[in-house]
């Protein structure tokens, strides 16, 4: 089956397609020529995933799927959370986002954090929500060149290296999106 993934991020589509069985293939908003940027006005990952899936369902009348993810830091009461992409400013600059995390976390002993993702699926008139989470901690230097976002400052629990050092092989096993994808596959494959 082919399913619309309500995102313009082809990197994400490729990442998820690698995790899905060959029988399921995702296409992006770019693939169907949709240039509209869906505004993420929700105050939670759950709300934003639903907004994106509902938009695509209404506009194109297709079954579809959307996601929203973020980094949540315990000592910062869950920030940057839903604002992860623009924590350091509307220009969505990752260097500024990371610098702000370091500034806010300065002086805290507790560096516990986790990535969380929410998938929202609209399929044949039904709605499904799937969640994934990976625990870890924040470090005060950047390490590694793989991945994206906060990967260079996040060490997953049980490892000594950051996600940016570990790379996709590990992320595809223990990562937040990988975990949510397992639940997605169960529904799509059934
Ligand atoms: P999105 O909803 O998946 O686009 O994620 C929003 C923001 O959360 C991204 O711009 C990143 O800053 C951060 N983020 C989400 N997933 C990851 C990840 O796997 N590694 C690093 N940062 C992430």
């Amino acid at each position: 089956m082919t399913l619309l993934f309500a995102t313009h991020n082809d990197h994400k589509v490729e990442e998820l397609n690698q995790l899905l069985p060959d029988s399921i293939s995702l296409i992006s908003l770019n693939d169907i020529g949709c240039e509209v940027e869906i505004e993420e006005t929700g105050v939670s990952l759950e709300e934003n995933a639903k907004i994106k899936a509902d938009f695509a369902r209404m506009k194109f009348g297709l079954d579809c799927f959307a996601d929203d993810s973020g980094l949540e830091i315990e000592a910062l009461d869950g920030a940057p959370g839903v604002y992860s992409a623009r924590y350091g400013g509307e220009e969505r600059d990752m260097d500024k986002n990371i610098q702000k995390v370091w500034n806010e976390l300065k002086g805290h002993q507790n560096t516990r954090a986790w990535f969380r993702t929410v998938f929202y699926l609209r399929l044949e008139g039904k709605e499904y929500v799937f969640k994934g989470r990976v625990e870890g901690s924040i470090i005060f230097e950047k390490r590694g060149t793989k991945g994206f976002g906060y990967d260079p400052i996040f060490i997953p629990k049980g490892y000594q290296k950051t996600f940016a050092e570990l790379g996709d092989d590990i992320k595809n096993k223990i990562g937040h999106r990988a975990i949510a994808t397992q639940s997605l596959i169960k529904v799509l494959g059934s």
Side-chain angles (χ1 to χ4, degrees):
M1 73 179 294
T2 301
L3 186 68
L4 175 63
F5 184 179
T7 181
H8 287 103
N9 185 338
D10 287 328
H11 173 84
K12 251 193 209 175
V13 180
E14 199 183 302
E15 182 187 304
L16 280 200
N17 270 332
Q18 276 174 25
L19 296 170
L20 291 170
D22 290 345
S23 56
I24 307 164
S25 141
L26 298 177
I27 53 168
S28 74
L29 292 172
N30 300 329
D31 294 324
I32 59 167
C34 170
E35 287 175 7
V36 180
E37 263 318 316
I38 308 168
E39 268 198 72
E40 299 186 14
T41 51
V43 295
S44 66
L45 300 177
E46 284 78 0
E47 273 183 36
N48 275 345
K50 181 171 169 19
I51 287 169
K52 288 185 269 188
D54 286 351
F55 169 89
R57 168 78 206 168
M58 271 190 17
K59 193 156 169 71
F60 304 107
L62 297 170
D63 281 341
C64 77
F65 152 79
D67 78 324
D68 204 33
S69 315
L71 173 70
E72 298 180 336
I73 300 174
E74 186 171 61
L76 304 182
D77 298 325
V82 71
Y83 306 108
S84 292
R86 51 198 147 114
Y87 194 47
E90 281 306 320
E91 63 272 38
R92 295 169 177 253
D93 180 324
M94 254 347 278
D95 287 335
K96 287 189 180 162
N97 291 341
I98 288 175
Q99 192 56 55
K100 181 157 179 196
V101 163
W102 286 339
N103 292 346
E104 298 289 323
L105 205 51
K106 209 167 158 186
H108 287 275
Q109 296 298 311
N110 177 9
T111 57
R112 182 178 168 218
W114 51 88
F115 282 114
R116 202 163 72 81
T117 196
V118 178
F119 286 0
Y120 195 93
L121 172 69
R122 280 182 155 274
L123 181 73
E124 294 164 357
K126 292 189 192 145
E127 297 172 24
Y128 303 85
V129 178
F130 309 111
K131 297 183 184 184
R133 175 177 167 138
V134 55
E135 286 279 342
S137 58
I138 299 297
I139 54 166
F140 286 87
E141 60 175 321
K142 287 187 202 171
R143 285 202 229 141
T145 53
K146 297 171 194 154
F148 71 100
Y150 297 94
D151 281 346
I153 63 164
F154 182 85
I155 297 188
K157 198 171 170 182
Y159 292 80
Q160 305 296 324
K161 292 181 173 177
T162 66
F163 261 162
E165 292 174 300
L166 292 166
D168 280 350
D169 283 353
I170 300 292
K171 237 180 137 179
N172 286 345
K173 285 198 187 96
I174 65 164
H176 44 315
R177 270 182 296 276
I179 292 165
T181 302
Q182 294 313 315
S183 312
L184 175 72
I185 290 171
K186 280 188 196 141
V187 169
L188 292 179
S190 65

